[in-house]
Amino acid sequence: MENEKEISTKLEELLQSAHYTKKIEKGTFLYQEGMLANELYIVQSGVIQISKIVPDGRELTLRMCQKGDLFGELSLFCPSSNYMLNAKIVESGEVAIINKKELEERLNQDHSLALELMKWISLQYRKTQTKFRDLVLHGKKGALYSTLIRLTNSYGVENEEGILITIALTNQDLANFCGTSREVVNRMLGELRKNNVISIEKSMITIHDLPYLKTTIDCENCPINICNIE
């Protein structure tokens, strides 16, 4: 169920022309909301969490970026030139860095390349839009169930018991994806375990009844390149 990268060959060539690479350490931030946005990043290794802090202090996780992913793109051609999201390192690794100003100049000169990047950014927007749709239409339950479905598409491996999500997640991690509290997620996960929809062992979740999750939130069966956690 691994999700294929959507970046076109031409855009991939541009991204590989990054200016330099940087080691990243777990628990640190590559950038935070409000910081000057003068670089874009491509993950070479490791995992980066892209999130937004809402006014009451809760954290809403929007993306989990891994090898081959581009992030920081929302700052392109933005007059404010400040990052609107946070990029936290959850697994140490390395990123390649592209200078924002030089990339903008190149996009101005190569319209076909600019179109490719616009298509890619549009896809990221559609992913975020569907996440908010599930949250608005179905509340906290919709957010959690949608997150579990997306996790199966990004990290799911089928076995005789169901679909194992091959990334360890704490209840707080899941709460961040849903923009809610850990206590609320604890209760909803408990209900799912009681009904044998899921099981959890050492922070690893196995989905036993994926159709139940999809039916409950009126899943539209979006393509995997839209319905994923990346």
Side-chain angles (χ1 to χ4, degrees):
M1 294 189 179
E2 185 176 352
N3 176 45
E4 295 182 359
K5 301 299 180 186
E6 313 87 6
I7 297 177
S8 68
T9 301
K10 188 167 187 178
L11 191 54
E12 180 72 24
E13 291 174 356
L14 169 66
L15 300 184
Q16 295 308 316
S17 65
H19 297 84
Y20 62 98
T21 60
K22 177 180 179 179
K23 298 289 185 181
I24 51 176
E25 298 296 330
K26 179 179 179 179
T28 63
F29 285 88
L30 202 50
Y31 58 79
Q32 292 179 275
E33 293 179 56
M35 290 178 58
L36 180 65
N38 53 16
E39 295 173 332
L40 283 82
Y41 306 89
I42 311 143
V43 184
Q44 304 298 297
S45 60
V47 179
I48 293 89
Q49 171 192 16
I50 307 300
S51 65
K52 177 76 175 178
I53 303 297
V54 296
D56 63 5
R58 287 176 295 138
E59 185 177 20
L60 177 61
T61 300
L62 299 174
R63 292 172 62 191
M64 296 292 283
C65 299
Q66 50 189 333
K67 185 175 181 179
D69 285 332
L70 168 72
F71 62 100
E73 74 281 353
L74 293 180
S75 66
L76 276 173
F77 299 105
C78 180
S80 65
S81 296
N82 294 107
Y83 290 116
M84 297 176 285
L85 303 170
N86 304 298
K88 183 178 181 179
I89 316 306
V90 295
E91 286 186 16
S92 299
E94 187 175 51
V95 293
I97 299 175
I98 299 176
N99 181 272
K100 174 189 168 187
K101 183 176 180 181
E102 292 183 23
L103 176 57
E104 289 175 343
E105 290 175 353
R106 184 164 177 180
L107 293 172
N108 275 326
Q109 297 169 0
D110 189 337
H111 293 171
S112 63
L113 180 60
L115 179 60
E116 291 293 336
L117 186 59
M118 286 175 60
K119 290 178 180 177
W120 189 85
I121 291 176
S122 175
L123 179 62
Q124 305 312 309
Y125 172 76
R126 289 175 62 196
K127 291 180 181 180
T128 301
Q129 188 178 47
T130 58
K131 292 177 186 177
F132 284 129
R133 175 200 64 198
D134 294 335
L135 178 58
V136 170
L137 293 181
H138 300 285
K140 296 178 177 64
K141 180 178 288 187
L144 176 61
Y145 289 15
S146 171
T147 296
L148 292 173
I149 293 168
R150 293 171 188 276
L151 285 166
T152 64
N153 289 333
S154 293
Y155 299 103
V157 173
E158 293 188 25
N159 58 33
E160 58 185 15
E161 297 182 359
I163 304 172
L164 173 67
I165 297 173
T166 59
I167 180 173
L169 294 162
T170 66
N171 288 4
Q172 185 61 60
D173 291 332
L174 290 172
N176 291 346
F177 279 116
C178 302
T180 188
S181 68
R182 184 180 60 186
E183 291 74 19
V184 169
V185 167
N186 289 347
R187 176 176 54 78
M188 291 191 291
L189 289 175
E191 292 174 356
L192 291 175
R193 295 173 75 172
K194 181 179 178 181
N195 295 322
N196 200 36
V197 177
I198 68 169
S199 60
I200 305 175
E201 184 175 353
K202 296 181 179 178
S203 298
M204 304 290 282
I205 301 172
T206 297
I207 309 293
H208 302 296
D209 192 350
L210 185 60
Y212 173 85
L213 298 177
K214 291 186 173 183
T215 300
T216 303
I217 64 171
D218 301 319
C219 178
E220 298 178 2
N221 290 311
C222 298
I224 290 181
N225 68 339
I226 296 294
C227 184
N228 61 62
I229 214 73
E230 301 166 1

